[in-house]
Amino acid sequence: MYDYGKLVYLDLQKTGSRFVVDFLTATCKLRLRYGVEHTFVREDYNPNAYYFITIRHPLQQYSSLYRYGLGDKKGLVYQSIVNSGREDLYDIDNPSFNQWLAFVLDEKNMECLGEGYEKVPTSLNLGFMSFRYLCYATLHPFRLLNIFQRNKDCIAHVNKTSIVDYIIKMEDLNSSLLDFATIIKPEFFSTKAVHDYLSAKQQINVSTLKHSDIGAISEENLKKIQQKESLLLQFY
């Protein structure tokens, strides 16, 4: 979370957040009050602030998470899966995103993903990427999970209680940031700095491994993503 007082950025992982943080540093006229990556809004919620978040199609988020572990051997998810005895899922000489995806979509392996995901009731069939979004977009995610068990319409509950005022998709990151900073909330930004920054078309944390390098995905796994990630897929 990056708190500029009147403006707060919710930096959901694997959604171009590093690029957005640097964009804010270079262009925002407000003073940064608090900035620690991948932290949540809880008791410090300010109803008068404007909250925005970046998102990404869940399949691409999974792909990015896999490639981060495969190429860089980094990340808590990578470490946890390796420690569980499945280092074979990160074979750089024979990458198989599909096998890795089957593992992380299997409810028996929820604990390997961490971040409290193992506390999600399996009956909810909530995917890891939608769970991450839930933690950023709401003040009391685990309280909501209890409600979901009684009423399965989780999307309606999340949307009703969400603190998010504006969503930016990573797929259109530069153009969406331009619109956000010059049309939606121009009072918070230096217009010249915005154009200077975005015209440079900087790319941050670009993986050397491309999505096309890690193999095809089965119809079964694609179907599981459609079912488990409906909370995020409502925006696509």
Side-chain angles (χ1 to χ4, degrees):
M1 172 180 66
Y2 290 81
D3 183 351
Y4 284 84
K6 294 180 181 180
L7 182 69
V8 180
Y9 171 49
L10 308 171
D11 59 322
L12 179 61
Q13 296 98 317
K14 302 299 175 184
T15 63
S17 59
R18 186 70 255 168
F19 184 89
V20 178
V21 169
D22 289 348
F23 170 81
L24 289 170
T25 300
T27 66
C28 188
K29 295 189 290 186
L30 303 174
R31 180 180 63 85
L32 180 64
R33 299 171 55 185
Y34 173 89
V36 176
E37 67 175 1
H38 310 318
T39 52
F40 310 127
V41 178
R42 294 295 180 257
E43 66 278 357
D44 49 357
Y45 173 65
N46 176 7
N48 297 315
Y50 193 88
Y51 291 82
F52 78 103
I53 191 170
T54 43
I55 64 170
R56 187 180 189 181
H57 193 286
L59 177 59
Q60 296 304 320
Q61 282 184 274
Y62 280 118
S63 173
S64 178
L65 184 61
Y66 173 64
R67 286 179 284 128
Y68 184 53
L70 183 67
D72 297 332
K73 307 297 182 186
K74 292 180 180 179
L76 294 178
V77 171
Y78 165 78
Q79 291 294 339
S80 182
I81 291 177
V82 168
N83 291 341
S84 76
R86 293 305 310 270
E87 189 173 5
D88 61 294
L89 294 173
Y90 290 101
D91 183 356
I92 189 66
D93 295 320
N94 187 31
S96 177
F97 177 46
N98 193 58
Q99 290 183 25
W100 178 90
L101 194 56
F103 181 87
V104 300
L105 291 174
D106 189 333
E107 62 187 33
K108 296 193 298 292
N109 302 316
M110 291 172 71
E111 191 169 351
C112 280
L113 301 180
E115 301 178 25
Y117 183 51
E118 69 280 359
K119 299 176 184 177
V120 177
T122 56
S123 61
L124 296 179
N125 200 27
L126 184 70
F128 183 56
M129 298 308 170
S130 288
F131 169 72
R132 276 183 164 179
Y133 175 79
L134 176 72
C135 290
Y136 283 90
T138 64
L139 299 178
H140 307 289
F142 290 101
R143 189 181 301 173
L144 281 176
L145 290 173
N146 290 329
I147 296 174
F148 296 165
Q149 293 187 80
R150 300 192 298 272
N151 184 336
K152 297 300 176 63
D153 190 7
C154 67
I155 291 179
H157 282 294
V158 172
N159 291 343
K160 185 184 297 184
T161 60
S162 174
I163 64 172
V164 175
D165 295 301
Y166 195 78
I167 291 175
I168 290 176
K169 295 179 182 179
M170 183 180 173
E171 289 82 358
D172 305 303
L173 190 56
N174 278 37
S175 61
S176 295
L177 283 173
L178 179 62
D179 287 346
F180 181 69
T182 61
I183 299 173
I184 306 300
K185 286 293 173 182
E187 66 270 27
F188 296 149
F189 295 92
S190 163
T191 301
K192 182 180 184 305
V194 167
H195 285 283
D196 288 347
Y197 185 89
L198 294 177
S199 64
K201 296 183 179 179
Q202 303 166 45
Q203 295 188 39
I204 298 173
N205 291 346
V206 177
S207 174
T208 55
L209 284 167
K210 304 302 180 187
H211 182 70
S212 58
D213 297 331
I214 57 178
I217 305 163
S218 68
E219 287 297 322
E220 181 182 1
N221 280 338
L222 289 174
K223 184 177 179 181
K224 284 183 179 180
I225 288 176
Q226 287 291 327
Q227 294 169 342
K228 297 172 78 72
E229 302 294 352
S230 59
L231 185 58
L232 267 178
L233 288 171
Q234 67 172 310
F235 304 116
Y236 287 89

